[in-house]
Amino acid sequence: MFDTFNTKGLAGRSATSLYTRRRLLATAAGFAAVSMLPAAGALANVKSLAKHRVLIVGAGVGGATAARYLKMWQPDADVTIIERNPVFIRHYGSSEHLTGAVSMADLTVSYEGLRAHGVKIVQGVAQALDPVRKEVAATVNGSVQKFGYDSLLVSPGVELLYDKIEGYSAQVANSTIPSGWIAGVQTEILRRQLLAMPDGGTVVLVAPPNPYRCPPGPYERSALMTEWLGHYKPRSRVVIVDPKNDFVTDETMILGWNHLYGFTPPQPYYDKLEKFMVEPKADCRLEWIRQKDGGKPLSIDPATRTVTAEGGKIKADVLNIVPPMRAANVARAFGLTNDSGFCPIDRRTFESTKIPDVYVLGDASIADAMPKSGYSANTQAKVCVRALIGKVTQTGIPEPAWSNTCYALAGDDWGLFVADTFRIVDGKIARTNTRARYQDLSASREERMVASRYLRAWMRSITADAFG
Ligand SMILES: Cc1cc2nc3c(=O)[nH]c(=O)nc-3n(C[C@H](O)[C@H](O)[C@H](O)COP(=O)(O)OP(=O)(O)OC[C@H]3O[C@@H](n4cnc5c(N)ncnc54)[C@H](O)[C@@H]3O)c2cc1C
């Protein structure tokens, strides 16, 4: 079990040339963040939200979008965000930092754009909620302060449950075996470990169980590491140890792995992809061990970087673990979560079903068919803000619609996507696509390249749309 191969890599290209080429080719076009809602200012003339205090916890994608659209649609609204960090390090695109294609500076988003819209940002950690007094207690500069609200929006993202894998812990993750699924210091540690790894080394990525943020993300990260190692450490390999048997975008991602790295699709993928594939390579440097192949991780030994999975042990030189996750701790402290670890909401408004006048957005919410993605958090925030304005001004709440596109890379020039629209069907958020969700399996090499450009254009447009 878990025997793998060393192989010669692809033709060498420098990281600089890849990056420069990418910059030159990236277009300003692509799929912009979609809003099915009124444009800026269009809601400014309905009854005003002046004097209505909107407090937001978390200035990630969901919280920032909500703040910005509130101020655009209701310039008189009193909007304050409590955010732990002085800047946002974007998670989307952070796997490209591992290969040096983008720097940490590229991933860093300032809050000055939000401030320019009149949003007040308090750097602090929200701790507790008093729903009767409508107050949030937060630690700011070492002391506890209380913040009153009329409406509270909570978009705190996820908590990584390191301890769910025996042998793993936050302390291990912050020192020797990073996760990097919340972008930041751990992303940087992982990058340094990849650079320091000798040629011929093994990178093991432990994928998470459902539900988790960014469904194609672990598979994209594995692909990008495989491509990069092929250029710089061509005898090295990447192994995905997975508690699942499939993932969103699996067919198109696996086809990319096949074309770029010689991957042999396992059944049932092989039969479906055969006529679109190239000849697999016996010495493919990417391996995917699914749950049915013994991939379910049981424990790790941090000292030897060894993963014990149901099918056996595998020793890594660099070990990257994406552990199970739930809504960030503050959501639990506020009493917003249920047994699933995430927050139940009224689908029409994203108002918590547990505490009135509190809304939960983004990865922390239970949004049924919508994936935990930045794109989802962005459209959820717009729908939520529109509903909040309708409720407070008593001007009605429109029937909501949402969209999501998750782009992913199988390689630097090989993009793919899943695109969906959503509405409420039988009380739940359901997909309502009338067309295919995925890139066509017969797409040309040029179309794959265009999709990679769409991904980069989307990252720029979502950042501008959310953070100003
Ligand atoms: C490797 C990777 C690649 C990804 N790629 C994509 C992609 O291509 N497309 C896509 O759509 N999505 C992608 N995502 C997912 C996307 O980044 C998240 O789904 C999105 O950021 C969720 O937004 P959010 O507002 O729920 O949480 P976040 O953006 O994580 O924001 C949460 C904020 O809350 C703050 N916070 C938490 N607790 C507190 C507290 N107690 N007090 C104060 N502040 C607090 C945090 O500091 C943070 O700033 C990717 C994620 C990863 C990890």
Side-chain angles (χ1 to χ4, degrees), residues 86-103:
V87 290
F88 182 63
I89 310 285
R90 57 180 174 86
H91 321 295
Y92 51 92
S94 62
S95 291
E96 289 189 79
H97 178 60
L98 303 178
T99 63
V102 301
S103 66

Side-chain angles (χ1 to χ4, degrees), residues 58 60-62 83-84 91 126 155-156 181 213-214 363 373-375 458:
V61 181
E83 164 57 48
R84 182 197 308 267
H91 321 295
S155 191
W181 219 245
R213 74 165 24 156
C214 193
D363 291 354
S373 72
Y375 201 125
W458 173 82

Side-chain angles (χ1 to χ4, degrees), residues 267-286:
Q267 290 295 7
Y269 299 102
Y270 194 99
D271 288 345
K272 179 136 195 218
L273 298 178
E274 191 173 6
K275 69 175 176 193
F276 306 102
M277 283 164 39
V278 297
E279 190 60 37
K281 289 183 191 158
D283 61 351
C284 175
R285 295 170 297 102
L286 175 62

Side-chain angles (χ1 to χ4, degrees), residues 61-62 65 155 361-363 370-371 373-382:
V61 181
T65 307
S155 191
L361 304 172
D363 291 354
M370 288 191 85
S373 72
Y375 201 125
S376 292
N378 177 264
T379 56
Q380 289 166 2
K382 294 170 190 173

Side-chain angles (χ1 to χ4, degrees), residues 49-71:
L49 234 64
K51 298 205 178 101
H52 189 88
R53 294 164 307 162
V54 181
L55 184 63
I56 301 176
V57 171
V61 181
T65 307
R68 185 158 177 267
Y69 274 75
L70 262 165
K71 289 303 279 185

